[in-house]
Amino acid sequence: MAEIARDAILYGGKDVAKAQKAAEDLLQKLVANGCDEAKAAPLSRKAAASLNEARSVIVVLCGEGDGAQEPNFDRFWRYLKRSADRVDQLTTAVLDIGDGALGALVSKRFEELGSTPITDVEKVVAALKPTASSTTEIQERLCVLYASQTGNAECIAKDVKVEIEARSPTCSVVVKPLDAWRERVDGTELIGKGATCIIIASTTGNGDAPDNGERFWRYVRKRAQPSDLLEGVRYCVLGLGDTNYDKFCHVGKVLDGRFAEVGADRFYELGCADEAMGLEHAVDPWLNGLWPALCGLGLIGDGSVREKVDLGEPVPVACCCSTDHAGLLLRGFDVDKFLRENPRGLDEAQLPKVREASSAEVTAAEENGRAGA
């Protein structure tokens, strides 16, 4: 079992019984309003260490002063104030029914770690209510999530977004780092029910996840996660790696298998690209198969594979250069002439590498031309 609920109400302080009663009253109100994933539990060190697994946390305190409280709160607070783990995905509320000193400390620390604070109980209910499975209509959305250390996975993710929106101008695609999986679109997490996720994940070091995907990497691999954790999610994975290292595409391969283990539905095959051979040799064919797969789901209207144009053999330099009587290049490369000779298109790779003639060569060519006239 996870150490903390996705929507957690944690209680503690000097008067634990009073805090627990307030937490249970709040829990009843949340459940009555359709927030059926909320659960109440006492504060603990394990809860503090598991904040990244939660979507929202409400801390109910009944304390006195900022000195020592009951042991569970002290353990929670010691861990929280020393932790360097960001909780940017977390929505937090702190309700202090004591003298307010503890609440001020905890609220400030949550804010320092990046959480989004909500100060009013009614707003807490409103914030959680749209995510309740019993009251929310599942919204379909398309997300491209990347774990990128050097920028390759991020660039590919952004290219995928551009291509999807070019094929279906009305389709809105969210592109985010993998560690932003808790962020909400229309009240639902990016990797939540109704989501179609394209995961592009690099592998670094000895099979490690990049920095902007490491938190999700730890979260999804926990063996205690329920088998329906990602139920209602469709996904595919493109892994980037290097065969010069032992664990080639390890992160992509593990994510592909783990998503299926926790209830997600794979809609397109795993792809593995090798930087040692050139990423494009695997990325381009994988993308060519992605468009028909997305079209089959009804997410884009154009799933055609667009073949690259064959520009043919390079046109000879002599056909495209302006020369004098001696054959020396005088005015550089003639693009208009090139296009007349090669009407199928201009490819920069076909442009000949030419040089401008020096002034001495031009003078000599002109003199030779006059002499031969």
Side-chain angles (χ1 to χ4, degrees), residues 302-371:
D302 178 8
S304 61
V305 177
R306 299 170 183 174
E307 299 293 342
K308 293 184 177 180
V309 177
D310 180 10
L311 296 177
E313 294 298 321
V315 176
V317 174
C319 183
C320 308
C321 298
S322 299
T323 60
D324 69 350
H325 295 286
L328 291 175
L329 177 63
L330 297 179
R331 290 196 298 275
F333 186 73
D334 188 339
V335 174
D336 291 334
K337 198 168 187 179
F338 181 94
L339 290 173
R340 286 196 300 272
E341 296 295 330
N342 187 10
R344 287 182 294 176
L346 175 64
D347 183 352
E348 185 177 350
Q350 292 181 352
L351 295 177
K353 304 298 182 184
V354 296
R355 66 178 177 85
E356 294 288 341
S358 68
S359 57
E361 290 172 326
V362 171
T363 300
E366 289 175 343
E367 291 176 355
N368 289 336
R370 286 195 293 271

Side-chain angles (χ1 to χ4, degrees), residues 35-281:
C35 307
D36 54 3
E37 293 191 53
K39 290 181 174 58
L43 289 166
S44 65
R45 184 189 180 282
K46 288 184 177 180
S50 304
L51 291 175
N52 280 322
E53 299 179 21
R55 174 171 54 187
S56 64
V57 171
I58 304 170
V59 177
V60 181
L61 298 169
C62 184
E64 182 181 330
D66 57 3
Q69 306 295 321
E70 54 91 19
N72 279 338
F73 173 84
D74 288 340
R75 295 186 190 103
F76 173 87
W77 175 240
R78 280 200 301 271
Y79 186 94
L80 189 67
K81 68 181 180 181
R82 295 172 184 169
S83 174
D85 292 338
R86 300 285 297 176
V87 290
D88 303 270
Q89 87 292 346
L90 198 60
T91 298
T92 56
V94 179
L95 309 177
D96 194 333
I97 56 176
D99 62 11
L102 294 185
L105 287 173
V106 175
S107 294
K108 182 180 179 182
R109 186 57 183 151
F110 275 147
E111 192 171 341
E112 290 171 349
L113 294 176
S115 74
T116 302
I118 302 178
T119 56
D120 184 88
V121 175
E122 298 303 323
K123 290 181 180 178
V124 172
V125 175
L128 296 183
K129 187 175 180 180
T131 68
S133 59
S134 61
T135 60
T136 301
E137 184 178 335
I138 294 175
Q139 299 286 329
E140 279 202 355
R141 61 204 173 282
L142 184 54
C143 309
V144 185
L145 302 171
Y146 59 85
S148 184
Q149 195 70 26
T150 61
N152 287 328
E154 181 178 359
C155 287
I156 294 170
K158 291 178 178 177
D159 288 345
V160 168
K161 170 185 168 69
V162 170
E163 182 67 21
I164 290 173
E165 292 180 346
R167 290 168 178 265
S168 291
T170 59
C171 181
S172 178
V173 183
V174 177
V175 177
K176 292 280 186 179
L178 190 55
D179 271 354
W181 89 97
R182 290 290 200 198
E183 289 188 16
R184 300 181 189 182
V185 177
D186 297 328
T188 309
E189 293 173 6
L190 292 180
I191 304 184
K193 288 184 179 180
T196 298
C197 300
I198 301 167
I199 310 294
I200 302 174
S202 297
T203 298
T204 67
N206 188 27
D208 300 321
D211 293 342
N212 57 11
E214 199 266 340
R215 197 165 66 231
F216 180 79
W217 173 247
R218 291 199 316 264
Y219 168 76
V220 79
R221 288 187 306 138
K222 288 186 177 180
R223 302 318 300 180
Q225 297 290 16
S227 60
D228 61 350
L229 177 70
L230 298 182
E231 186 178 357
V233 175
R234 295 180 298 202
Y235 78 97
C236 66
V237 178
L238 172 63
L240 309 184
D242 189 327
T243 49
N244 290 315
Y245 296 86
D246 291 337
K247 294 187 175 181
F248 172 63
C249 284
H250 178 68
V251 173
K253 292 174 180 177
V254 171
L255 287 178
D256 180 70
R258 186 61 178 150
F259 266 62
E261 290 175 355
V262 292
D265 180 25
R266 184 190 297 109
F267 74 89
Y268 181 50
E269 64 188 19
L270 168 69
C272 292
D274 182 8
E275 189 167 7
M277 299 297 293
L279 294 175
E280 68 279 2
H281 293 301

